[in-house]
């Protein structure tokens, strides 16, 4: 079985083809970063317009590169939510139109389920049940996963998502968008231990997160320094990143203790962060459990995770009518297997 995946939920157009025998055949990505950079964040209308420009030529290219004819495609998976409504509608309209023309099903995929399943595209795949930490630009969620679509929410961010906090701190430090990789790069030259940042919500029980206080703490730390030097900025970037990684480590330990699962999966854009991976590697070694994460290019948005999730849902017999609807807000716990 072969599935075409289309991702258009935010500022990346992703198109991929996944085959259940041969694996990932092609994975194309166009990032709109250059378009949005000048605005310091994603401009929804510009995102939608660019998805319209890119999606069909990329689908054509993906078919050509993988030597796939339309008769080889068994289903089209597209991101149905959560995300920017206009951007989602581009992918949904294209997927449904092609599904109509090619007489195959179109399957709407939950973007965060796509992220959650991305580590399964690696040869060493996690087995259910596991604890999953989804850390992206829009979400920070801790889940207990019993099977496909069987996700129990253990905790989530009450305010900013982890990626959002990275992006905002990057802005404060005068770095570009998206901020996560830039903060991580600057933190490399930081000196540890100069600043002690808080570990929010670790002083009370529970698995929820809050990152907006850390953002304010960063802002106040910067405001206390007249004309901060590059070294001082690097020290702050490192203190912030360490605080995020450490806070997440503490919450993951609690989730592992609570569920007694022996696997931990991290996914979403922030799972590319090496400091976070190192903190969770250490935790996993201490807990005697296994840590799984996607390969680097599959941490952030991509079509491969949507094609893969589509294949799993196709195998369960999922299908939809041809009406076009998207879910800009859509709790992952509403999914079923
Ligand atoms: O999953 P994703 O591509 O998009 C959403 O679904 O939101 O995540 C994007 C987020 C951005 O906030 C970006 O700054 C962050 O992931 N990110 C990182 C790193 N790479 C991407 N954050 C920290 N360290 C990184 N290396
Ligand atoms: Zn994403």
């Amino acid at each position: 079985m072969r599935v075409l995946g289309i991702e258009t939920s935010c500022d990346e157009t992703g198109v991929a083809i996944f085959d259940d025998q041969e694996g990932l055949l092609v994975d194309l990505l166009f990032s709109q970063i250059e378009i949005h950079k000048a605005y310091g964040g994603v401009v929804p209308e510009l995102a939608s317009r660019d998805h319209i420009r890119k999606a069909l030529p990329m689908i054509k290219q993906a078919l050509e590169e993988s030597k796939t004819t339309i008769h080889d495609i068994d289903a089209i998976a597209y991101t149905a939510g959560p995300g920017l409504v206009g951007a989602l509608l581009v992918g949904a309209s294209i997927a449904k139109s092609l599904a109509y023309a090619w007489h195959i099903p179109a399957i709407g995929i939950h973007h965060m389920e796509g992220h959650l399943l991305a580590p399964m595209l690696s040869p060493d795949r996690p087995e259910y049940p596991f604890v999953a930490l989804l850390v992206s630009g829009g979400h920070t969620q801790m889940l207990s996963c019993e099977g496909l679509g069987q996700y129990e929410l253990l905790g989530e961010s009450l305010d900013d998502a982890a990626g959002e906090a990275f992006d905002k701190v990057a802005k404060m430090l005068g770095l570009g968008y998206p901020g996560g990789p830039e903060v991580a790069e600057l933190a490399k030259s930081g000196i540890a231990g100069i600043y002690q940042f808080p570990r929010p919500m670790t002083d009370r029980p529970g698995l929820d997160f809050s990152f907006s206080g850390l953002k304010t703490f960063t802002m106040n730390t910067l405001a206390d320094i007249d004309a901060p030097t590059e070294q001082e900025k690097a020290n702050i970037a490192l203190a912030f990143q360490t605080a995020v990684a450490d806070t997440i480590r503490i919450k993951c330990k609690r989730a592992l203790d609570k569920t007694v699962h022996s696997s931990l999966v991290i996914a979403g854009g922030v799972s590319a962060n090496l400091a976070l991976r190192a903190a969770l590697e250490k935790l996993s070694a201490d807990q005697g459990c296994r840590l799984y994460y996607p390969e680097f290019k599959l941490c952030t948005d991509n079509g491969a995770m949507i094609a893969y999730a589509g294949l799993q849902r196709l195998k369960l017999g999922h299908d939809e009518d041809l009406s076009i609807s998207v879910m800009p807000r859509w709790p992952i716990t509403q999914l079923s297997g």
Side-chain angles (χ1 to χ4, degrees), residues 111 115 136 301:
H111 180 79
H115 277 303
S136 72
D301 293 349

Side-chain angles (χ1 to χ4, degrees), residues 128-297:
Y128 298 107
F130 51 76
V131 168
L133 171 77
L134 301 182
V135 268
S136 72
H139 294 82
T140 299
Q141 294 188 321
M142 189 84 80
L143 302 163
S144 171
C145 305
E146 304 288 334
L148 185 76
Q150 312 290 311
Y151 313 130
E152 183 196 348
L153 184 67
L154 302 174
E156 64 185 334
S157 180
L158 304 178
D159 40 59
D160 292 356
E164 193 180 351
F166 267 99
D167 293 338
K168 288 177 178 168
V169 162
K171 243 186 194 173
M172 291 174 205
L173 292 168
L175 303 172
Y177 176 86
E182 302 222 5
V183 171
E185 187 55 35
L186 181 62
K188 279 187 194 163
S189 46
I191 302 164
I194 307 277
Y195 300 102
Q196 190 54 35
F197 277 40
R199 275 52 173 162
M201 295 187 69
T202 55
D203 57 348
R204 68 198 88 164
L207 289 162
D208 286 334
F209 299 88
S210 164
F211 291 110
S212 81
L214 257 184
K215 189 185 64 189
T216 312
F217 195 91
T218 309
M219 198 166 66
N220 293 341
T221 306
L222 265 169
D224 283 346
I225 311 169
D226 291 331
T229 61
E230 277 309 298
Q231 184 61 58
E232 280 164 332
K233 285 187 187 174
N235 298 344
I236 290 172
L238 178 61
F240 166 78
Q241 177 176 261
T242 308
V244 172
D246 201 35
T247 303
I248 289 176
R249 177 190 60 79
I250 294 166
K251 298 285 172 163
C252 285
K253 178 177 183 331
R254 283 185 196 170
L256 288 166
D257 288 344
K258 182 180 163 136
T259 57
V260 211
H261 295 336
S262 55
S263 300
L264 174 62
V265 169
I266 54 166
V270 185
S271 70
N273 187 277
L274 291 178
L276 177 62
R277 287 187 178 196
L280 297 182
E281 287 283 10
K282 170 144 193 341
L283 169 69
S284 305
D286 292 348
Q287 297 277 120
C289 77
R290 285 284 317 274
L291 177 67
Y292 298 87
Y293 33 74
E295 60 175 286
F296 274 111
K297 71 180 175 90

